[in-house]
Amino acid sequence: MPQPQGAELEKVRARREELRQRYLRPAGERPATPVRGVHHLALICRDVEETIQFYQEFLGFPLVELVENRDYAGSSHFFFDIGGKNMLGFFDFPGHDHPAWQETIGGVQHLALSIPQQQYDAARKKFDETGFEYLGPDRGVEESMYFRDPNGVGLELYREDLGEFDGHHLID
């Protein structure tokens, strides 16, 4: 996708700074969030078994539940433990033809998962040994590896701790 350049890029950057000044409050002035955290992120998959094999067998995220979706007969709803009492959920919709993944407004660009250095190194080794395609560490980001699951969902294994971004502690 074409990136803004020249005057257009400067306008985008000026707008971002305007938004930062208007809405980003200093840490001591921010209200407490009213939620406890992400219970689960629910995504759509093409194939239940392929998705389970990828997340549990390849990435090591334990499958913790597999039930029928209460809103769509025959559809499966299943969850993986992604740490911190957070879950990654999936639905399938048998009989529904889903288009291929594409980056679009309202879509998931990627899900960044905090991972310790030892696990990051193990994942990278496994990816290299199996020929699994990924990007990183590159693009000026030494802490990340980016890849897509069998459904096209973008994932990032990110070596920073939860609540941190780009070396800065954002959330206590």
Side-chain angles (χ1 to χ4, degrees):
M1 102 179 79
Q3 298 181 28
Q5 297 179 14
E8 181 184 6
L9 178 57
E10 291 309 312
K11 183 178 176 182
V12 168
R13 288 176 172 162
R15 177 66 176 144
R16 179 183 313 108
E17 186 55 33
E18 178 185 319
L19 294 171
R20 283 179 57 80
Q21 294 301 317
R22 184 178 300 157
Y23 296 109
L24 186 60
R25 298 178 184 137
E29 296 176 23
R30 295 178 198 151
T33 184
V35 299
R36 293 184 291 214
V38 174
H39 185 275
H40 70 275
L41 175 66
L43 302 171
I44 298 171
C45 72
R46 251 189 327 257
D47 181 283
V48 173
E49 185 172 13
E50 175 185 52
T51 302
I52 292 171
Q53 287 175 346
F54 180 78
Y55 282 95
Q56 179 168 268
E57 306 305 318
F58 187 66
L59 292 180
F61 302 172
L63 181 69
V64 296
E65 184 60 280
L66 173 57
V67 296
E68 185 163 338
N69 177 1
R70 59 184 171 232
D71 301 327
Y72 189 104
S75 167
S76 293
H77 191 189
F78 53 106
F79 300 93
F80 298 97
D81 177 354
I82 58 171
K85 295 186 179 180
N86 298 290
M87 295 181 287
L88 180 58
F90 283 91
F91 292 97
D92 72 333
F93 292 101
H96 185 344
D97 185 31
H98 295 289
W101 178 90
Q102 66 176 3
E103 193 166 44
T104 185
I105 299 298
V108 174
Q109 204 281 331
H110 73 273
L111 173 62
L113 301 167
S114 176
I115 188 167
Q117 182 69 50
Q118 181 180 357
Q119 295 306 113
Y120 182 92
D121 292 342
R124 187 170 183 183
K125 181 179 179 188
K126 186 174 192 174
F127 290 1
D128 289 342
E129 288 175 353
T130 61
F132 186 78
E133 290 186 30
Y134 66 95
L135 296 173
D138 62 1
R139 300 167 18 176
V141 181
E142 291 295 317
E143 299 81 24
S144 300
M145 287 188 295
Y146 299 89
F147 53 96
R148 295 211 175 274
D149 83 352
N151 306 294
V153 175
L155 298 167
E156 173 186 5
L157 297 182
Y158 192 46
R159 289 187 290 191
E160 287 200 275
D161 287 336
L162 293 173
E164 294 185 7
F165 179 73
D166 201 21
H168 301 284
H169 189 76
L170 302 179
I171 301 172
D172 290 324

